[in-house]
């Protein structure tokens, strides 16, 4: 008689364990983000709008903030190295600023249109305000001038290989511009003659880079 074979034991399939959520990681993400509860437009103008926001700040602290929302701006550090690479000439503007109640020395700058590419906006603003165009464009830095209440991001571009042309500023712009040596602008900054934030941070960063190349 044939030998009796034992029935094969059923194979137990291992169930894929669903990974448990990482509570620590979730808390870390929650600690870095805010929760907007409500946002109300309290003023709408042609340049910006003012919002009153209620929110939970990162970490869960309730808060109310009045914030100016803006499409953002571009700043142009236009450089002419044709006479000197060690001490190039910079395009500077001199115009009256009502908010500051005084004339200020500044770099060319302007607001962006909704969803406008920043580089295109920078090229437009430089040509409109000064007539200059540039062969080379490079991002230099981005910053927030007063992030406590102002949501305006300012993107600074370095423009080189300048070509002169005719300026055609907007009707409400009365701008005087000239070429000034980098060393003279730094000296003006040290004497307190330049008070414009975008000009201060852009010129000083560029001057530091130029100084490093001299070594």
């Amino acid at each position: 008689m044939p030998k009796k074979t034992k029935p094969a034991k059923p194979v137990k399939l291992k169930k894929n364990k669903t990974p448990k959520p990482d509570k620590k990681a979730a808390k870390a993400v929650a600690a870095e983000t805010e929760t907007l509860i409500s946002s109300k437009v309290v003023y709408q103008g042609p340049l910006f709008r003012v919002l009153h926001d209620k929110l939970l700040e990162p970490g869960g602290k309730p808060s109310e903030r009045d914030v100016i929302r803006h499409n953002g701006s571009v700043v142009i550090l236009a450089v002419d190295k044709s006479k000197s690479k060690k001490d190039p000439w910079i395009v500077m503007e001199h115009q009256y600023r009502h908010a500051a109640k005084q004339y200020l020395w500044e770099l060319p700058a302007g607001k962006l249109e909704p969803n406008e590419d920043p580089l295109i906006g920078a090229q437009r603003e430089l040509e409109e305000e000064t007539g200059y165009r540039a062969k080379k464009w490079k991002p230099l830095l981005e910053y927030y001038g007063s992030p406590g209440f102002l949501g305006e991001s300012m993107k600074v571009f370095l423009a080189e290989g300048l070509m002169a042309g005719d300026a055609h500023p907007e009707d409400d712009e009365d701008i005087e511009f000239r070429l000034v040596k980098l060393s003279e602008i730094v000296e003006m900054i040290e004497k307190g003659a330049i008070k414009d934030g975008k000009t201060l941070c852009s010129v000083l960063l560029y001057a530091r880079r130029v100084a490093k190349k001299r070594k």
Side-chain angles (χ1 to χ4, degrees), residues 1-209:
M1 294 179 66
K3 294 181 178 180
K4 293 182 179 180
T5 57
K6 293 181 180 180
K9 293 182 179 180
V11 178
K12 292 183 179 180
L13 299 176
K14 293 183 178 180
K15 295 182 179 180
N16 292 327
K17 293 183 179 180
T18 304
K20 295 181 180 180
D22 190 337
K23 293 182 179 180
K24 290 184 178 180
K27 286 182 179 180
V29 173
E32 295 176 359
T33 58
E34 67 173 37
T35 301
L36 185 63
I37 299 172
S38 66
S39 183
K40 181 181 178 182
V41 178
V42 295
Y43 171 77
Q44 178 70 58
L47 182 61
F48 59 83
R49 62 191 183 279
V50 181
L51 305 177
H52 181 74
D53 292 346
K54 295 182 179 180
L55 65 143
L56 295 178
E57 293 184 347
K61 180 182 177 181
S63 179
E64 293 189 27
R65 301 287 183 184
D66 292 323
V67 181
I68 298 175
R69 292 298 177 190
H70 189 284
N71 291 329
S73 299
V74 285
V75 184
I76 305 95
L77 183 63
V79 179
D80 181 2
K81 295 181 179 178
S82 60
K83 295 181 180 180
S84 173
K85 292 183 179 180
K86 294 182 178 180
D87 193 12
W89 297 76
I90 310 295
V91 179
M92 292 287 288
E93 296 181 345
H94 194 233
Q95 61 179 314
Y96 184 77
R97 293 297 196 180
H98 169 63
K101 296 184 178 180
Q102 59 184 295
Y103 282 90
L104 296 178
W105 283 103
E106 309 174 27
L107 293 177
K111 66 180 184 297
L112 288 170
E113 300 299 330
N115 302 315
E116 183 179 22
D117 180 87
L119 176 57
I120 293 175
Q123 292 170 338
R124 183 196 65 247
E125 289 297 330
L126 179 63
E127 187 173 0
E128 282 184 0
E129 295 186 358
T130 69
Y132 280 104
R133 290 179 294 152
K135 296 177 181 179
K136 296 180 181 179
W137 290 84
K138 184 180 179 180
L140 185 65
L141 74 145
E142 179 181 5
Y143 77 102
Y144 290 86
S146 187
F149 67 93
L150 180 58
E152 178 187 15
S153 163
M154 304 196 83
K155 297 178 176 64
V156 185
F157 287 89
L158 176 63
E160 298 177 302
L162 300 185
M163 300 172 288
D166 295 326
H168 42 96
E170 296 181 7
D171 294 337
D172 62 346
E173 293 179 322
D174 185 12
I175 302 172
E176 173 196 349
F177 67 91
R178 65 182 65 175
L179 290 170
V180 185
K181 286 184 179 180
L182 175 61
S183 60
E184 293 179 4
I185 300 174
V186 173
E187 186 177 348
M188 291 170 69
I189 291 173
E190 292 174 345
K191 292 180 178 179
I194 294 179
K195 296 180 171 64
D196 175 62
K198 61 182 179 289
T199 304
L200 290 169
C201 62
S202 303
V203 169
L204 291 177
L205 175 60
Y206 180 71
R208 183 180 180 183
R209 292 186 179 182

